[in-house]
Amino acid sequence: MIVTANRIPVNPEYAEAFEARFANRAGLVDTMPGFISNDVLRPATPDTPYVVLTYWESKEHFDAWVSSDAFKQGHARSGSLPPEAYSGRNQFEMFEVVASSER
């Protein structure tokens, strides 16, 4: 399993609008083969970015999503917030799950 983490620094006055974008998202990723789940994490401390996590069966499934028309359509909506909504550049990371547990 692959987990992607997109760390997005958001100015506090835009936090509500940023969260609303995800609450009202197109949901196109949900129908992609290999997609498992998506989490949006709100920072618990100041000056910490939001983290958007997606879980995939494989890197190949994630790569297929990124190169898909659905990805382009879903991310075209991301322009709904002005540049000043962000306090810096986002940071993308990818991880392979080597151990996991659930309740």
Side-chain angles (χ1 to χ4, degrees), residues 7-48:
R7 299 176 190 284
I8 306 170
V10 176
N11 283 317
E13 60 270 21
Y14 287 94
E16 188 174 317
F18 179 81
E19 291 179 20
R21 280 185 46 227
F22 284 95
N24 300 312
R25 66 188 181 85
L28 299 173
V29 68
D30 300 358
T31 63
M32 292 298 295
F35 173 78
I36 297 171
S37 67
N38 174 256
D39 293 314
V40 179
L41 309 179
R42 177 188 297 139
T45 58
D47 299 322
T48 301

Short mmCIF file of all heavy atoms in Angstrom, two decimals, residues 7-48:
data_model
loop_
_atom_site.label_atom_id
_atom_site.label_comp_id
_atom_site.label_asym_id
_atom_site.label_seq_id
_atom_site.Cartn_x
_atom_site.Cartn_y
_atom_site.Cartn_z
N ARG A 7 1.37 18.29 2.25
CA ARG A 7 1.36 19.26 3.35
C ARG A 7 1.12 20.64 2.75
O ARG A 7 1.90 21.10 1.92
CB ARG A 7 2.68 19.20 4.10
CG ARG A 7 2.92 17.84 4.72
CD ARG A 7 4.28 17.73 5.39
NE ARG A 7 4.56 16.37 5.75
CZ ARG A 7 4.03 15.72 6.79
NH1 ARG A 7 3.20 16.36 7.59
NH2 ARG A 7 4.34 14.46 7.04
N ILE A 8 0.02 21.28 3.18
CA ILE A 8 -0.42 22.53 2.57
C ILE A 8 -0.53 23.62 3.63
O ILE A 8 -1.43 23.58 4.47
CB ILE A 8 -1.78 22.34 1.86
CG1 ILE A 8 -1.70 21.17 0.87
CG2 ILE A 8 -2.20 23.62 1.15
CD1 ILE A 8 -3.03 20.74 0.29
N PRO A 9 0.37 24.59 3.62
CA PRO A 9 0.29 25.69 4.59
C PRO A 9 -0.80 26.69 4.19
O PRO A 9 -0.78 27.24 3.09
CB PRO A 9 1.68 26.32 4.54
CG PRO A 9 2.23 25.95 3.21
CD PRO A 9 1.55 24.68 2.78
N VAL A 10 -1.76 26.87 5.08
CA VAL A 10 -2.92 27.73 4.81
C VAL A 10 -2.94 28.87 5.83
O VAL A 10 -2.78 28.63 7.03
CB VAL A 10 -4.23 26.92 4.90
CG1 VAL A 10 -5.45 27.80 4.70
CG2 VAL A 10 -4.22 25.78 3.88
N ASN A 11 -3.14 30.08 5.35
CA ASN A 11 -3.28 31.22 6.26
C ASN A 11 -4.56 31.04 7.08
O ASN A 11 -5.59 30.62 6.53
CB ASN A 11 -3.30 32.53 5.48
CG ASN A 11 -1.92 32.94 5.03
OD1 ASN A 11 -0.96 32.85 5.79
ND2 ASN A 11 -1.81 33.37 3.78
N PRO A 12 -4.50 31.32 8.38
CA PRO A 12 -5.65 31.06 9.27
C PRO A 12 -6.96 31.66 8.79
O PRO A 12 -8.02 31.04 8.95
CB PRO A 12 -5.22 31.67 10.60
CG PRO A 12 -3.73 31.67 10.56
CD PRO A 12 -3.36 31.86 9.11
N GLU A 13 -6.93 32.84 8.19
CA GLU A 13 -8.19 33.47 7.76
C GLU A 13 -8.83 32.73 6.57
O GLU A 13 -9.99 32.98 6.25
CB GLU A 13 -7.98 34.95 7.42
CG GLU A 13 -6.99 35.22 6.33
CD GLU A 13 -5.55 35.41 6.82
OE1 GLU A 13 -5.20 34.96 7.92
OE2 GLU A 13 -4.77 36.01 6.06
N TYR A 14 -8.13 31.79 5.97
CA TYR A 14 -8.67 31.01 4.86
C TYR A 14 -8.93 29.55 5.23
O TYR A 14 -9.32 28.76 4.39
CB TYR A 14 -7.72 31.06 3.65
CG TYR A 14 -7.72 32.39 2.96
CD1 TYR A 14 -6.78 33.36 3.28
CD2 TYR A 14 -8.66 32.68 1.99
CE1 TYR A 14 -6.78 34.59 2.65
CE2 TYR A 14 -8.67 33.91 1.34
CZ TYR A 14 -7.73 34.86 1.68
OH TYR A 14 -7.75 36.07 1.05
N ALA A 15 -8.71 29.20 6.50
CA ALA A 15 -8.85 27.81 6.93
C ALA A 15 -10.26 27.27 6.65
O ALA A 15 -10.41 26.16 6.14
CB ALA A 15 -8.50 27.67 8.41
N GLU A 16 -11.28 28.05 6.98
CA GLU A 16 -12.65 27.58 6.78
C GLU A 16 -12.94 27.34 5.30
O GLU A 16 -13.54 26.32 4.93
CB GLU A 16 -13.63 28.61 7.35
CG GLU A 16 -15.06 28.12 7.37
CD GLU A 16 -15.97 29.11 8.08
OE1 GLU A 16 -15.59 29.63 9.14
OE2 GLU A 16 -17.08 29.34 7.54
N ALA A 17 -12.50 28.24 4.44
CA ALA A 17 -12.72 28.09 3.00
C ALA A 17 -11.93 26.89 2.46
O ALA A 17 -12.43 26.15 1.60
CB ALA A 17 -12.32 29.36 2.27
N PHE A 18 -10.72 26.68 2.97
CA PHE A 18 -9.91 25.54 2.55
C PHE A 18 -10.62 24.23 2.90
O PHE A 18 -10.73 23.33 2.08
CB PHE A 18 -8.54 25.61 3.21
CG PHE A 18 -7.64 24.47 2.86
CD1 PHE A 18 -6.95 24.47 1.66
CD2 PHE A 18 -7.48 23.40 3.73
CE1 PHE A 18 -6.11 23.40 1.33
CE2 PHE A 18 -6.66 22.34 3.40
CZ PHE A 18 -5.97 22.33 2.20
N GLU A 19 -11.11 24.14 4.12
CA GLU A 19 -11.81 22.93 4.55
C GLU A 19 -13.09 22.72 3.74
O GLU A 19 -13.43 21.58 3.41
CB GLU A 19 -12.12 23.01 6.04
CG GLU A 19 -10.87 22.92 6.90
CD GLU A 19 -11.15 23.02 8.38
OE1 GLU A 19 -12.30 22.79 8.81
OE2 GLU A 19 -10.21 23.33 9.13
N ALA A 20 -13.78 23.80 3.41
CA ALA A 20 -15.01 23.69 2.62
C ALA A 20 -14.72 23.11 1.24
O ALA A 20 -15.54 22.37 0.69
CB ALA A 20 -15.68 25.05 2.50
N ARG A 21 -13.55 23.43 0.68
CA ARG A 21 -13.18 22.86 -0.62
C ARG A 21 -13.18 21.34 -0.57
O ARG A 21 -13.63 20.68 -1.50
CB ARG A 21 -11.78 23.33 -1.03
CG ARG A 21 -11.75 24.71 -1.61
CD ARG A 21 -10.37 25.10 -2.12
NE ARG A 21 -9.75 24.05 -2.90
CZ ARG A 21 -8.49 23.64 -2.74
NH1 ARG A 21 -7.72 24.18 -1.83
NH2 ARG A 21 -8.00 22.70 -3.50
N PHE A 22 -12.69 20.78 0.52
CA PHE A 22 -12.64 19.33 0.63
C PHE A 22 -14.01 18.75 0.99
O PHE A 22 -14.36 17.66 0.55
CB PHE A 22 -11.57 18.90 1.63
CG PHE A 22 -10.20 19.01 1.05
CD1 PHE A 22 -9.44 20.15 1.27
CD2 PHE A 22 -9.68 18.01 0.25
CE1 PHE A 22 -8.18 20.28 0.71
CE2 PHE A 22 -8.42 18.13 -0.32
CZ PHE A 22 -7.67 19.27 -0.08
N ALA A 23 -14.77 19.48 1.76
CA ALA A 23 -16.12 19.01 2.11
C ALA A 23 -17.00 18.95 0.86
O ALA A 23 -17.90 18.11 0.77
CB ALA A 23 -16.75 19.93 3.15
N ASN A 24 -16.72 19.83 -0.10
CA ASN A 24 -17.53 19.91 -1.32
C ASN A 24 -16.76 19.43 -2.55
O ASN A 24 -17.09 19.81 -3.67
CB ASN A 24 -17.98 21.35 -1.54
CG ASN A 24 -18.81 21.85 -0.39
OD1 ASN A 24 -19.72 21.19 0.06
ND2 ASN A 24 -18.45 23.02 0.13
N ARG A 25 -15.77 18.60 -2.34
CA ARG A 25 -14.92 18.18 -3.45
C ARG A 25 -15.68 17.35 -4.48
O ARG A 25 -16.75 16.81 -4.18
CB ARG A 25 -13.71 17.40 -2.93
CG ARG A 25 -14.06 16.08 -2.29
CD ARG A 25 -12.83 15.46 -1.62
NE ARG A 25 -13.17 14.18 -1.02
CZ ARG A 25 -13.18 13.03 -1.66
NH1 ARG A 25 -12.85 12.98 -2.93
NH2 ARG A 25 -13.51 11.91 -1.04
N ALA A 26 -15.13 17.26 -5.66
CA ALA A 26 -15.79 16.55 -6.75
C ALA A 26 -15.89 15.05 -6.47
O ALA A 26 -16.81 14.39 -6.94
CB ALA A 26 -15.03 16.79 -8.06
N GLY A 27 -14.96 14.50 -5.71
CA GLY A 27 -15.02 13.08 -5.35
C GLY A 27 -14.60 12.14 -6.47
O GLY A 27 -14.84 10.94 -6.40
N LEU A 28 -13.95 12.68 -7.51
CA LEU A 28 -13.57 11.85 -8.64
C LEU A 28 -12.54 10.78 -8.26
O LEU A 28 -12.55 9.69 -8.81
CB LEU A 28 -13.04 12.73 -9.78
CG LEU A 28 -14.04 13.75 -10.32
CD1 LEU A 28 -13.37 14.68 -11.33
CD2 LEU A 28 -15.22 13.03 -10.96
N VAL A 29 -11.68 11.10 -7.32
CA VAL A 29 -10.66 10.13 -6.90
C VAL A 29 -11.31 8.89 -6.30
O VAL A 29 -10.77 7.78 -6.41
CB VAL A 29 -9.64 10.77 -5.92
CG1 VAL A 29 -10.29 11.09 -4.58
CG2 VAL A 29 -8.44 9.87 -5.72
N ASP A 30 -12.46 9.04 -5.68
CA ASP A 30 -13.11 7.93 -5.00
C ASP A 30 -13.45 6.77 -5.94
O ASP A 30 -13.61 5.64 -5.49
CB ASP A 30 -14.40 8.40 -4.32
CG ASP A 30 -14.15 9.48 -3.28
OD1 ASP A 30 -12.99 9.85 -3.04
OD2 ASP A 30 -15.14 9.98 -2.72
N THR A 31 -13.58 7.05 -7.22
CA THR A 31 -13.98 6.02 -8.18
C THR A 31 -12.78 5.41 -8.91
O THR A 31 -12.96 4.53 -9.74
CB THR A 31 -14.94 6.61 -9.23
OG1 THR A 31 -14.25 7.63 -9.97
CG2 THR A 31 -16.18 7.21 -8.56
N MET A 32 -11.59 5.87 -8.61
CA MET A 32 -10.40 5.38 -9.31
C MET A 32 -10.00 3.98 -8.85
O MET A 32 -10.04 3.69 -7.65
CB MET A 32 -9.23 6.34 -9.09
CG MET A 32 -9.39 7.69 -9.74
SD MET A 32 -9.54 7.66 -11.54
CE MET A 32 -7.92 7.06 -12.02
N PRO A 33 -9.61 3.13 -9.79
CA PRO A 33 -9.11 1.80 -9.39
C PRO A 33 -7.91 1.96 -8.46
O PRO A 33 -7.04 2.81 -8.68
CB PRO A 33 -8.68 1.18 -10.73
CG PRO A 33 -9.46 1.91 -11.77
CD PRO A 33 -9.63 3.32 -11.24
N GLY A 34 -7.87 1.16 -7.41
CA GLY A 34 -6.76 1.17 -6.48
C GLY A 34 -6.85 2.20 -5.37
O GLY A 34 -6.06 2.17 -4.43
N PHE A 35 -7.83 3.12 -5.47
CA PHE A 35 -8.00 4.12 -4.41
C PHE A 35 -8.59 3.44 -3.18
O PHE A 35 -9.53 2.66 -3.28
CB PHE A 35 -8.92 5.25 -4.87
CG PHE A 35 -9.27 6.22 -3.79
CD1 PHE A 35 -8.37 7.19 -3.40
CD2 PHE A 35 -10.51 6.16 -3.16
CE1 PHE A 35 -8.70 8.10 -2.39
CE2 PHE A 35 -10.84 7.06 -2.16
CZ PHE A 35 -9.93 8.03 -1.77
N ILE A 36 -8.04 3.76 -2.00
CA ILE A 36 -8.54 3.18 -0.75
C ILE A 36 -9.27 4.23 0.07
O ILE A 36 -10.43 4.03 0.43
CB ILE A 36 -7.39 2.56 0.06
CG1 ILE A 36 -6.76 1.40 -0.73
CG2 ILE A 36 -7.88 2.09 1.43
CD1 ILE A 36 -5.48 0.85 -0.14
N SER A 37 -8.60 5.35 0.38
CA SER A 37 -9.26 6.37 1.19
C SER A 37 -8.50 7.69 1.13
O SER A 37 -7.38 7.76 0.62
CB SER A 37 -9.42 5.92 2.65
OG SER A 37 -8.15 5.81 3.27
N ASN A 38 -9.14 8.72 1.69
CA ASN A 38 -8.61 10.08 1.70
C ASN A 38 -8.90 10.68 3.07
O ASN A 38 -10.01 10.55 3.57
CB ASN A 38 -9.30 10.88 0.59
CG ASN A 38 -8.94 12.34 0.57
OD1 ASN A 38 -9.73 13.17 1.00
ND2 ASN A 38 -7.78 12.66 0.08
N ASP A 39 -7.90 11.32 3.68
CA ASP A 39 -8.08 12.03 4.94
C ASP A 39 -7.53 13.44 4.81
O ASP A 39 -6.46 13.63 4.22
CB ASP A 39 -7.32 11.33 6.09
CG ASP A 39 -7.89 9.97 6.43
OD1 ASP A 39 -9.11 9.86 6.56
OD2 ASP A 39 -7.09 9.03 6.59
N VAL A 40 -8.23 14.41 5.36
CA VAL A 40 -7.74 15.78 5.44
C VAL A 40 -7.55 16.08 6.92
O VAL A 40 -8.50 16.01 7.70
CB VAL A 40 -8.73 16.77 4.79
CG1 VAL A 40 -8.20 18.20 4.90
CG2 VAL A 40 -8.98 16.41 3.34
N LEU A 41 -6.32 16.40 7.30
CA LEU A 41 -5.99 16.61 8.71
C LEU A 41 -5.82 18.10 8.99
O LEU A 41 -5.01 18.77 8.36
CB LEU A 41 -4.69 15.87 9.06
CG LEU A 41 -4.63 14.39 8.67
CD1 LEU A 41 -3.27 13.81 9.07
CD2 LEU A 41 -5.76 13.61 9.30
N ARG A 42 -6.60 18.59 9.94
CA ARG A 42 -6.51 19.99 10.37
C ARG A 42 -5.38 20.11 11.39
O ARG A 42 -5.27 19.31 12.32
CB ARG A 42 -7.82 20.41 11.03
CG ARG A 42 -7.78 21.85 11.57
CD ARG A 42 -9.02 22.17 12.39
NE ARG A 42 -10.22 22.11 11.57
CZ ARG A 42 -11.38 21.58 11.99
NH1 ARG A 42 -11.49 21.08 13.20
NH2 ARG A 42 -12.41 21.57 11.20
N PRO A 43 -4.53 21.12 11.26
CA PRO A 43 -3.44 21.29 12.21
C PRO A 43 -3.96 21.57 13.62
O PRO A 43 -4.92 22.32 13.80
CB PRO A 43 -2.65 22.49 11.70
CG PRO A 43 -3.33 22.97 10.47
CD PRO A 43 -4.54 22.15 10.23
N ALA A 44 -3.31 20.96 14.60
CA ALA A 44 -3.69 21.16 16.00
C ALA A 44 -2.87 22.27 16.65
O ALA A 44 -3.18 22.70 17.75
CB ALA A 44 -3.52 19.86 16.78
N THR A 45 -1.83 22.71 15.96
CA THR A 45 -0.97 23.77 16.48
C THR A 45 -0.76 24.85 15.41
O THR A 45 -0.79 24.54 14.21
CB THR A 45 0.40 23.22 16.92
OG1 THR A 45 1.02 22.58 15.80
CG2 THR A 45 0.26 22.23 18.06
N PRO A 46 -0.55 26.08 15.82
CA PRO A 46 -0.33 27.16 14.86
C PRO A 46 0.93 26.91 14.01
O PRO A 46 1.83 26.19 14.42
CB PRO A 46 -0.13 28.41 15.72
CG PRO A 46 -0.64 28.04 17.07
CD PRO A 46 -0.53 26.55 17.20
N ASP A 47 0.94 27.50 12.85
CA ASP A 47 2.09 27.41 11.94
C ASP A 47 2.40 25.99 11.49
O ASP A 47 3.55 25.68 11.17
CB ASP A 47 3.34 28.06 12.55
CG ASP A 47 3.13 29.53 12.85
OD1 ASP A 47 2.46 30.21 12.05
OD2 ASP A 47 3.61 30.00 13.89
N THR A 48 1.41 25.13 11.51
CA THR A 48 1.56 23.77 11.01
C THR A 48 0.64 23.63 9.80
O THR A 48 -0.50 24.10 9.83
CB THR A 48 1.14 22.75 12.10
OG1 THR A 48 1.97 22.95 13.24
CG2 THR A 48 1.27 21.33 11.61
#
